[in-house]
Amino acid sequence: DVAGITDAVRKPQLCLIELSNLLSHYGKVIVADVELTQKLIVAEDILVTIANSRLEKEGKPATVEAQNVQDWYINNPISVEQTIELISATIYALSYRQDNQEKRRAAVTE
């Protein structure tokens, strides 16, 4: 326990740790599949999209580009809750991928 850190403050951090553990699990069990190969979406592009979405939700123009995304996040830090949503989206996507693989594998064995 850390003095001054309440349970309410600690809960998002615990959620982040649990999601990270789940993501680690998928990293260990996910199977490469040539049929599911897609063009790479660069992390920087994802961050630009998120930043511009945040701006638009605030009624501001989407002005973030790849060359200024780092500065934007330094000046507008992502919250723990937003990070939880980002990791959750990744886990959902991996779960859908695994479901797809299992359905195709089952269809081959029928």
Side-chain angles (χ1 to χ4, degrees):
D1 288 339
V2 178
I5 304 292
T6 64
D7 282 343
V9 171
R10 191 176 294 116
K11 285 182 182 179
Q13 292 171 329
L14 293 175
C15 186
L16 187 58
I17 291 167
E18 291 300 320
L19 286 171
S20 296
N21 288 337
L22 186 54
L23 187 57
S24 174
H25 167 74
Y26 272 115
K28 293 173 186 170
V29 300
I30 210 87
V31 178
D33 189 331
V34 180
E35 291 181 31
L36 298 178
T37 300
Q38 303 288 331
K39 288 192 175 225
L40 182 65
I41 301 172
V42 180
E44 188 174 73
D45 292 341
I46 294 169
L47 291 175
V48 167
T49 301
I50 292 169
N52 284 324
S53 175
R54 284 175 56 187
L55 285 170
E56 289 171 351
K57 286 180 181 183
E58 295 171 6
K60 299 175 184 173
T63 56
V64 178
E65 297 176 352
Q67 56 269 32
N68 67 343
V69 70
Q70 181 179 356
D71 290 335
W72 192 87
Y73 277 98
I74 289 170
N75 293 314
N76 303 277
I78 193 166
S79 69
V80 172
E81 292 81 7
Q82 290 167 331
T83 303
I84 288 168
E85 291 300 317
L86 187 56
I87 294 172
S88 295
T90 302
I91 291 169
Y92 289 152
L94 290 173
S95 174
Y96 303 150
R97 175 193 169 101
Q98 186 174 14
D99 187 52
N100 175 284
Q101 286 180 308
E102 289 174 2
K103 286 179 181 175
R104 287 188 298 114
R105 198 174 306 124
V108 169
T109 59
E110 290 179 351

